[in-house]
Structures are given as C-alpha cells and as structure tokens.
Amino acid sequence: IILNWQGTNFYVSDIAFLVSIAVAGNVIIKNGFRALKKLNLSIDLLMTSAILGSIVASIFGGKHIFMEGATLAFLYNFAELLEDYSIQKARGSLRELKDLSPDKAVLKRDGQEKEVPVEEVKAGERIIIRPGSKVPVDGEIVEGETSINEAPITGESIPVDKSIGEEVYAGTINQQGYLEVEAGSPSSESTISQIIEMVESAERKKTRHEKFVNKFSSYYTPVVVLAAVAVAAIPPIFLAQPWASWFVRGITMLVLACPCAFVISTPVSVVSGITSAAKNGVLIESGTTLEAMSEVKVMAF
C-alpha cells in the first residue's frame, strides 16, 4: 500500500496502471469526446466510457479495475502500432517501386545530348536510351530496335522485342540496341507512378468487413451504453440496492463489452495483406479485391 484515500487503498500497480491510461488512453479519450460533441455513439466513445469508468469505479467504488482500463488503452495503441508498422513496410515496398525508374534522362535537343532530372522531361521530347539503361518515362520508339526486359512492370521474365512505333514503359530495361524514344507523358503520369498510386489508394479503401464493423458499431454501442445504464440504475431505483456496487457493475459491463479487438482486426489484416503482396511483386487493387480472393475457386490465364 502506498496511499489510502477515502478508505480506499492504492498500490504501486494502481499508480502504474493510471500512468499507462494517461499515456496510452490520451488519443482514445480525445476521439471519444469528439464523438460525444457530435452526438455520435461510436466505439471510440464506448472505449472512452469504459476507460474513464474503470478509473471512477476504482476510486469511488473500491473495486481495483485500473488494470482493465489500462489493458483497453494498451490493446488499442498496440494495434495502432502494428498498423503503422505495416504502413511503413508498405511505403518501403513503394519506395522500391519508385527506385525502378532512373533519376536522370538523356534528352536530344537541337542535335545535342543533355542529361536532365527525369521530372523535367516533357511530353513530346526525344530521349536517348543506350543498351543496359533503364527507360526513364513512358514513350514510343522513334528510332532503333531492341529487346526490353519488362519484368519490373509486367512480371514477364522473357525480354520483349521492340521496334519503331512500339511503346516502352518507365522502369523497364533496354537489353541491347540504341533507342530514341518520344516521351508520351511526364514521369508523374508513367505506368509505374500509376501503380504506386493504385497501391496507396488500395490501402485507403474500406473493405466489406470494415464497412460491416462501422455499421455494427452504430447499433452495438448505443445498446451496450443503454444496457450499462440500466444495470447501474434499475436495481438502486426500483430494488433499493446500494448505488456504489451497481454503478461499478455497470462500468464493469462497459469494460467487458468494449470490442477493441473486433474493431482493430480488419484494418490491420488488410494493410498487412496488401503490404506483403506488394513486397512480393503482387499488386492488389484494393482491400475489397484482397477480400474477394478468399472466395476464388478457379483462376483462368
């Protein structure tokens, strides 16, 4: 025992749990109060009620349930940490995709060669690509013929023969032969840039399960809050039971009913799936597409 306040003993562990709640519960409680201001009975509000309730019940009800509030806050933040880690891995995979395109391009202007940053290449300009060099932007061959390794973009392991009038893509490799290519678009609009944008947007799209979780929470949270209020209020009002013990039971119900694992499971799974796939060269259009793969029985090529 390190402190006795209003007849309640507090232990070293209680202080540690309170510190944990103050640190880890900061974001949750802020989100909960924002939801309350908007009269939105969200799961953030339910978690906030449960965490604050565990503190109130521990101080005034004589029940030491600081640990429950601290556990909720820890689980929520641990899930956020996992999601951030997955997103950072995804960004690492995207950086690897960006590295496929060279930083410089050799332009042919007025019969002279000039090396410029790839961002300065404009549509219609003529680019020189020598054997072994990477194609800096998407474009059309106007002089020369060669074989192009398109594996970084299409996954095709066999080089593709290219000649005048055929298209080449940024990030692919000129295996042999001198080429002059007319840029079809700036580097920001290349195929590889579109792939990167697609992967980034895929992580932001909500899946069917995430939409279900959001819809479920809009019904679940009010029901749980009303049930907790009923548990805390009905016995004291109608059955002359002590307020303190039933208030603690109402708060306990909020803590037990808080579906933190249910809420955090889907986003983390989706981001991790898309990230892992991108790292292994598989580009998934969205979380919905990833979800649909579980129902695939036949694939046609």
Side-chain angles (χ1 to χ4, degrees):
I1 298 171
I2 62 168
L3 178 66
N4 183 289
W5 188 66
Q6 293 189 354
T8 302
N9 296 325
F10 292 91
Y11 303 91
V12 173
S13 59
D14 294 333
I15 303 301
F17 289 137
L18 270 173
V19 171
S20 299
I21 291 171
V23 174
N26 182 38
V27 174
I28 306 170
I29 293 169
K30 283 181 179 177
N31 290 339
F33 278 113
R34 286 195 195 103
L36 185 61
K37 284 181 181 178
K38 296 177 182 177
L39 300 178
N40 177 20
L41 290 176
S42 66
I43 287 183
D44 281 326
L45 180 58
L46 178 57
M47 291 183 71
T48 298
S49 303
I51 290 171
L52 294 180
S54 70
I55 297 173
V56 173
S58 298
I59 294 175
F60 299 103
K63 301 287 185 180
H64 288 267
I65 56 173
F66 287 115
M67 187 181 77
E68 282 77 358
T71 302
L72 284 178
F74 168 78
L75 287 174
Y76 180 90
N77 282 277
F78 183 65
E80 289 289 308
L81 181 65
L82 286 177
E83 189 168 3
D84 286 344
Y85 173 72
S86 299
I87 290 170
Q88 288 302 320
K89 286 189 70 176
R91 287 175 181 163
S93 299
L94 294 180
R95 281 192 291 270
E96 289 174 13
L97 287 177
K98 289 176 182 176
D99 289 342
L100 293 176
S101 298
D103 297 326
K104 304 283 186 180
V106 179
L107 298 182
K108 189 174 185 180
R109 290 176 177 169
D110 303 321
Q112 301 292 321
E113 295 183 14
K114 183 180 180 181
E115 188 176 68
V116 300
V118 72
E119 295 82 10
E120 294 181 11
V121 177
K122 299 175 183 176
E125 291 195 289
R126 185 168 288 204
I127 304 164
I128 295 173
I129 305 170
R130 292 187 168 82
S133 299
K134 287 184 178 181
V135 179
V137 295
D138 291 358
E140 183 181 306
I141 297 174
V142 293
E143 184 178 327
E145 59 182 30
T146 186
S147 59
I148 298 283
N149 179 1
E150 295 187 335
I153 303 296
T154 65
E156 174 57 63
S157 60
I158 300 173
V160 180
D161 292 333
K162 298 281 185 175
S163 57
I164 293 173
E166 294 189 282
E167 191 172 9
V168 291
Y169 304 104
T172 57
I173 303 166
N174 180 14
Q175 297 284 82
Q176 58 190 30
Y178 171 89
L179 288 181
E180 289 188 16
V181 172
E182 184 179 298
S185 60
S187 62
S188 59
E189 298 175 14
S190 66
T191 301
I192 191 68
S193 297
Q194 292 177 39
I195 289 172
I196 291 166
E197 185 179 342
M198 185 178 70
V199 174
E200 288 176 334
S201 65
E203 294 167 359
R204 294 192 295 267
K205 291 182 181 177
K206 288 188 179 295
T207 67
R208 179 163 46 91
H209 285 89
E210 285 179 284
K211 290 174 182 175
F212 168 76
V213 168
N214 291 337
K215 188 174 182 181
F216 172 80
S217 68
S218 66
Y219 294 103
Y220 177 81
T221 304
V223 169
V224 169
V225 170
L226 288 173
V229 170
V231 168
I234 290 176
I237 293 173
F238 297 102
L239 302 174
Q241 295 293 315
W243 277 98
S245 60
W246 283 98
F247 174 77
V248 171
R249 286 169 185 164
I251 292 299
T252 303
M253 181 176 177
L254 277 180
V255 173
L256 293 174
C258 204
C260 52
F262 179 64
V263 174
I264 64 184
S265 59
T266 305
V268 172
S269 301
V270 169
V271 172
S272 297
I274 292 175
T275 301
S276 179
K279 187 176 180 181
N280 288 282
V282 179
L283 302 174
I284 298 173
E285 190 272 334
S286 68
T288 304
T289 307
L290 178 65
E291 239 179 11
M293 289 300 293
S294 66
E295 300 169 8
V296 170
K297 300 293 186 293
V298 176
M299 297 185 76
F301 296 91

